[in-house]
Amino acid sequence: MNRREFVVTTAASALAAASPALARSPGAQMSPTPPVARKIPVVIEQLGRTRTDDYQWMKDDSWQAVLRDPTLIKADVKAHLEAENAYREAMLASTLPLQGQLFEEMKGRIKEDDSSVPSPDGPWEYFTEYRTGDQHPRYMRVERQGTWIADGRQVTKTFIVAPTPELLLDCNLLAEGKAYSEVSAVEHSPDHTLFAWAEDAQGSEVHHIYTRDLATGEVLPDPIPSATGNFTFSPCSCWIFWTNRDDNGRPDKIFRRPSRGGETTLVYEEADDGMFMGVERTSDDAFIVISIQNQETSEARYISGQRPTNLPVVLAEREVALRYDVDHWQDRWVIRTNADDAIDFKIVQTPTERPARASWEDLVPHTPGRFIEGVAVVKSFLARQERADANTKIVIRSRAGDEHEIAVDEPAYALSLAGASEFETTTMRYGYNSPSTPTSTYDYDLATRERTLRKVQEVPSGHDPADYVVERLNAAATDGKLVPVTVLRRRSTPVDGSAPLLLYGYGSYGIPMSASFSTGRLSLVDRGWIYAIAHIRGGSDKGWGWFLDGRKFKKKNTFTDFTAAADHLISRDYARAGNIVAQGGSAGGLLMGAVTNMRPELWAGVIGQVPFVDVINTMSDVSLPLTPPEWPEWGNPIEDAEAYDYIASYSPYDNVGPKAYPAILATGGLSDPRVTYWEPEKWVAKLRPATTSGKPVLLKINMEAGHGGASGRFDYLKEVAHDYAFAIWAIQRGWEPA
């Protein structure tokens, strides 16, 4: 037999796939029978090391085709996934009323007929809206009232009768008849005559880019295929630039063609398959910039906005471990960089005509522990967002060099700099929220320092921040570093160890976990749960050095920081060991797998969402789109024996053993190109016979979605409700007879 002929071997697998209620084991409780995955040992030799993988058959060798058409998946793999889904549904059948209740609660906290604050750009203001019942947004614009600058001239326009908004794109119509539809990016042309969008219709992140003529309302023929979803118009609106996606899912080329269709021209091709790419315009529309980077090295190439058919020019040659990103501020380049050992980044400037690194001059010097996350510019001001101790602030700088800051005096909160949608303005937008406080959106006048509240997130079912307590704790890590932990609870919830607790973590790629507001979490917190976020190393919550201290050969700090956070919460009576549910997704799912192996006694349940758990195999598979670009993050186990040994020492799949594991829920998406479906599938297959606790190990594979789960806003809430119902079920040991 060949590999396509192997099938799942379980006495009840066929029945489970057809009807979970029929797949029962003997006994009074009639417990559903879990699928048993067949073992087909494959011996892998690498760098003089040997490992055996019993479940490698679950990987479809034609996975690229499956991403585009899930019906092409191998029959044996499909049968196993369907059996796993049926088993999970049967095990969680008792939670269906709870799932429905959680969903209705979460839906009730969303203002269904909602819209964003309009963003002004020249004669128009652009916004999104949802109508009652809509799963997807509608993109809109309306003629602008008031005074603004256009082409250097002041324009004033008023209306006796408010103008009628114009529909640009209804994503609900776009999604009709599709199991999945996600518009990942939209952009109007600078002259406001065209509107373009990138749609992923599979969950596989393979996009088509469409363009609409706003004068006629017609969608132009010949959409752009096989794109990453990243694109931009030239400043003259004559051309559209986009990032191509190759057959392995990597961004490999930048193309250009006339905005209304025509011959395609190759602008740039990246030879290093370990690099990501993107293209965008600078804030002042002076240049088109191609950004090239991996996890530790970057490079920018620019094209004159006035001569968009020119070849791109290197701004500063790439150097290993040198990161920089650029914008243009009228007469100079403004560059955020880690050059000259600026671990937490600094901002430099250089004349337009001399962009090379030798001409860089400090504009905002490096300050250790103050991580500069991003920069936004308008004609006369520069704003930057800084992060320290897991909180953020915004600093405004004039061209003359005067500075002032926007900050909040709370223990845990999130400020987010949105910048401006036009260059000739003194107004920027920012948002504020905290775990207990819904988002407020402000327009801030950079010159007068006046702020205008434009919107407060409405919670229709009612929400009073005073009913909740937000706290910031600091847990001592194994090496003495202090790990921030954000805690949210109802004021009435006792801190005596009796409350169940959900501990969330991520800790990779320098991505911080903001102390932000989420209506979904309230469904747990209002049931007497405590919700906590561990701001662990691997993220940039305490600066870029916090990230560097949790990557590659320091990756285990991420895991021990998380368990230290749990131990600290237990020591402070926020929780008890065995009464905590841990949750994390993607690289946070790696965290879940690692801490489950390390400290299984801490957790009542673990939710690993699209979990990156098969690390040694994935980082050894160069056909996967994220493998070469992520060697700087994890190490290269193909060429580096030290990296192989270190990864093998923590890779969750490779370290599963006979332990009393907690209840586990692993989730995945069949069309996921980032964490492929077979990672959670293999993990569950190996965990189930290994656990000695008798607690269930469950798998949920969305057969119609990818990395981000369902695309509709209500369908997504159903997934959250499912996971939270599992958390409650795990605490209550719902698999045991009443």
Side-chain angles (χ1 to χ4, degrees):
M1 290 189 296
N2 61 38
R3 284 174 53 193
R4 289 186 179 273
E5 294 175 305
F6 287 115
V7 295
V8 178
T9 56
T10 169
S13 61
L15 290 174
S19 174
L22 297 177
R24 306 289 183 180
S25 62
Q29 287 75 46
M30 296 293 287
S31 298
T33 301
V36 178
R38 184 170 184 172
K39 293 183 178 181
I40 307 173
V42 175
V43 177
I44 303 168
E45 299 281 350
Q46 193 169 327
L47 294 178
R49 282 99 171 127
T50 301
R51 65 183 186 274
T52 301
D53 191 341
D54 290 331
Y55 303 108
Q56 187 171 327
W57 63 270
M58 293 178 175
K59 177 190 174 185
D60 197 316
D61 291 334
S62 302
W63 62 267
Q64 296 99 329
V66 174
L67 287 183
R68 291 171 169 80
D69 184 359
T71 63
L72 298 177
I73 192 169
K74 293 191 299 182
D76 56 343
V77 175
K78 181 181 180 182
H80 183 67
L81 293 176
E82 289 176 342
E84 286 284 6
N85 278 340
Y87 170 66
R88 171 190 46 80
E89 289 171 4
M91 287 295 292
L92 294 178
S94 64
T95 71
L96 288 175
L98 175 60
Q99 290 183 45
Q101 185 179 1
L102 290 167
F103 169 71
E104 291 299 333
E105 290 173 6
M106 294 176 189
K107 184 179 178 183
R109 296 191 194 99
I110 293 177
K111 188 175 189 296
E112 290 198 40
D113 56 336
D114 201 6
S115 62
S116 65
V117 179
S119 296
D121 185 8
W124 296 92
E125 291 187 310
Y126 292 83
F127 63 99
T128 59
E129 71 172 17
Y130 286 90
R131 297 172 304 181
T132 299
D134 280 353
Q135 287 261 34
H136 303 274
R138 288 157 47 93
Y139 290 91
M140 312 288 294
R141 72 177 181 181
V142 66
E143 287 187 83
R144 184 177 181 180
Q145 298 194 64
T147 301
W148 66 91
I149 302 296
D151 300 323
R153 297 177 293 108
Q154 182 172 298
V155 177
T156 301
K157 196 169 188 178
T158 58
F159 301 98
I160 297 175
V161 178
T164 301
E166 175 185 349
L167 175 65
L168 306 176
L169 175 66
D170 188 339
C171 297
N172 299 281
L173 295 178
L174 195 66
E176 284 186 357
K178 300 173 184 174
Y180 185 96
S181 176
E182 181 75 23
V183 172
S184 304
V186 302
E187 186 176 309
H188 61 269
S189 59
D191 65 2
H192 306 279
T193 64
L194 300 170
F195 183 80
W197 65 92
E199 183 199 18
D200 173 7
Q202 190 61 59
S204 60
E205 301 180 27
V206 178
H207 294 79
H208 283 67
I209 300 172
Y210 302 85
T211 304
R212 170 168 281 139
D213 184 327
L214 294 179
T216 66
E218 297 298 316
V219 177
L220 300 177
D222 193 21
I224 296 167
S226 194
T228 66
N230 164 249
F231 67 91
T232 194
F233 289 101
S234 62
C236 64
S237 303
C238 306
W239 304 91
I240 187 168
F241 292 74
W242 73 93
T243 306
N244 184 68
R245 187 183 186 93
D246 71 11
D247 291 339
N248 282 332
R250 296 191 185 105
D252 64 336
K253 300 179 182 72
I254 303 293
F255 286 117
R256 178 192 73 236
R257 80 177 193 188
S259 295
R260 295 177 180 271
E263 184 178 353
T264 294
T265 301
L266 175 64
V267 177
Y268 174 74
E269 181 172 6
E270 175 55 43
D272 186 345
D273 63 5
M275 290 292 185
F276 300 104
M277 282 197 299
V279 60
E280 63 182 349
R281 299 194 309 275
T282 57
S283 295
D284 60 2
D285 273 351
F287 295 95
I288 299 150
V289 174
I290 299 170
S291 300
I292 308 155
Q293 70 281 322
N294 63 16
Q295 302 298 336
E296 65 179 359
T297 301
S298 57
E299 179 181 87
R301 295 171 181 245
Y302 62 93
I303 303 166
S304 169
Q306 295 180 340
R307 294 176 291 279
T309 60
N310 281 6
L311 293 175
V313 178
V314 176
L315 190 140
E317 297 285 350
R318 70 184 71 173
E319 301 174 24
V320 174
L322 172 66
R323 291 178 61 93
Y324 71 91
D325 48 70
V326 307
D327 204 347
H328 195 259
W329 199 17
Q330 293 187 292
D331 60 349
R332 70 192 77 173
W333 293 100
V334 174
I335 303 168
R336 188 185 72 103
T337 181
N338 68 345
D340 307 315
D341 298 320
I343 291 175
D344 287 309
F345 286 70
K346 62 180 179 178
I347 302 173
V348 301
Q349 61 183 355
T350 188
T352 300
E353 65 278 6
R354 297 196 307 276
R357 188 176 171 188
S359 299
W360 291 4
E361 173 188 284
D362 283 5
L363 181 66
V364 179
H366 174 241
T367 299
R370 179 201 64 184
F371 175 44
I372 299 177
E373 290 188 303
V375 178
V377 298
V378 293
K379 183 176 181 180
S380 300
F381 294 90
L382 177 150
R384 66 182 186 268
Q385 182 168 307
E386 300 179 352
R387 183 176 296 272
D389 293 325
N391 283 331
T392 52
K393 68 178 179 181
I394 297 168
V395 181
I396 311 300
R397 182 186 182 94
S398 71
R399 285 184 70 91
D402 302 322
E403 289 193 354
H404 67 278
E405 69 179 47
I406 303 169
V408 178
D409 186 17
E410 286 197 51
Y413 63 90
L415 280 175
S416 55
L417 176 64
S421 52
E422 55 187 353
F423 190 68
E424 296 270 359
T425 184
T426 61
T427 301
M428 282 195 188
R429 184 163 292 164
Y430 73 90
Y432 159 76
N433 62 33
S434 79
S436 65
T437 307
T439 300
S440 294
T441 301
Y442 293 93
D443 279 348
Y444 186 77
D445 191 306
L446 306 166
T448 66
R449 305 188 184 186
E450 295 178 358
R451 69 176 186 175
T452 302
L453 178 62
R454 297 297 306 274
K455 181 180 179 179
V456 177
Q457 179 183 356
E458 185 178 336
V459 182
S461 60
H463 174 75
D464 185 353
D467 291 339
Y468 301 86
V469 175
V470 177
E471 297 167 288
R472 172 60 57 76
L473 310 179
N474 284 286
T478 54
D479 59 359
K481 298 288 181 67
L482 294 180
V483 180
V485 182
T486 298
V487 173
L488 171 69
R489 60 181 174 87
R490 282 195 71 90
R491 196 170 295 277
S492 58
T493 299
V495 182
D496 59 5
S498 63
L501 184 142
L502 190 143
L503 181 60
Y504 186 88
Y506 185 73
S508 289
Y509 305 117
I511 298 173
M513 290 294 101
S514 295
S516 55
F517 183 73
S518 166
T519 56
R521 295 171 190 162
L522 299 179
S523 284
L524 284 182
V525 175
D526 287 350
R527 283 175 168 78
W529 282 61
I530 294 174
Y531 190 97
I533 301 170
H535 303 277
I536 52 184
R537 278 175 283 189
S540 59
D541 306 66
K542 293 182 73 172
W544 200 246
W546 199 243
F547 157 62
L548 297 176
D549 216 20
R551 70 192 280 265
K552 215 166 184 176
F553 295 114
K554 296 182 178 180
K555 190 62 208 171
K556 291 181 184 177
N557 285 338
T558 301
F559 316 140
T560 54
D561 282 2
F562 191 81
T563 58
D567 286 333
H568 186 70
L569 289 163
I570 292 167
S571 72
R572 295 283 301 273
D573 282 336
Y574 286 86
R576 290 196 308 265
N579 206 37
I580 303 171
V581 173
Q583 182 184 23
S586 195
L590 161 63
L591 168 69
M592 295 299 101
V595 300
T596 303
N597 286 332
M598 292 166 55
R599 298 285 303 280
E601 79 283 358
L602 288 175
W603 325 112
V606 170
I607 303 171
Q609 301 161 296
V610 288
F612 174 41
V613 285
D614 193 12
V615 186
I616 194 72
N617 281 322
T618 294
M619 296 314 299
S620 300
D621 187 347
V622 296
S623 75
L624 296 173
L626 295 184
T627 293
E630 294 202 349
W631 283 331
E633 177 83 10
W634 310 103
N636 181 350
I638 300 174
E639 300 177 351
D640 184 346
E642 185 183 6
Y644 182 105
D645 292 340
Y646 190 76
I647 293 172
S649 73
Y650 69 75
S651 176
Y653 176 68
D654 297 282
N655 286 279
V656 170
K659 293 183 176 74
Y661 284 105
I664 291 174
L665 171 65
T667 70
L670 189 60
S671 302
D672 189 348
R674 295 174 181 261
V675 178
T676 48
Y677 69 85
W678 60 81
E679 294 214 25
E681 183 186 15
K682 290 171 66 176
W683 186 43
V684 165
K686 195 169 184 180
L687 276 167
R688 191 174 287 137
T691 184
T692 61
S693 68
K695 297 179 181 179
V697 178
L698 307 179
L699 176 65
K700 178 187 178 186
I701 296 292
N702 190 325
M703 305 295 278
E704 298 175 335
H707 197 65
S711 56
R713 60 173 175 163
F714 300 133
D715 290 342
Y716 171 74
L717 288 182
K718 290 177 182 177
E719 294 187 341
V720 177
H722 172 277
D723 294 350
Y724 282 0
F726 167 83
I728 294 169
W729 183 78
I731 289 287
Q732 296 176 348
R733 302 176 66 91
W735 59 89
E736 295 181 345

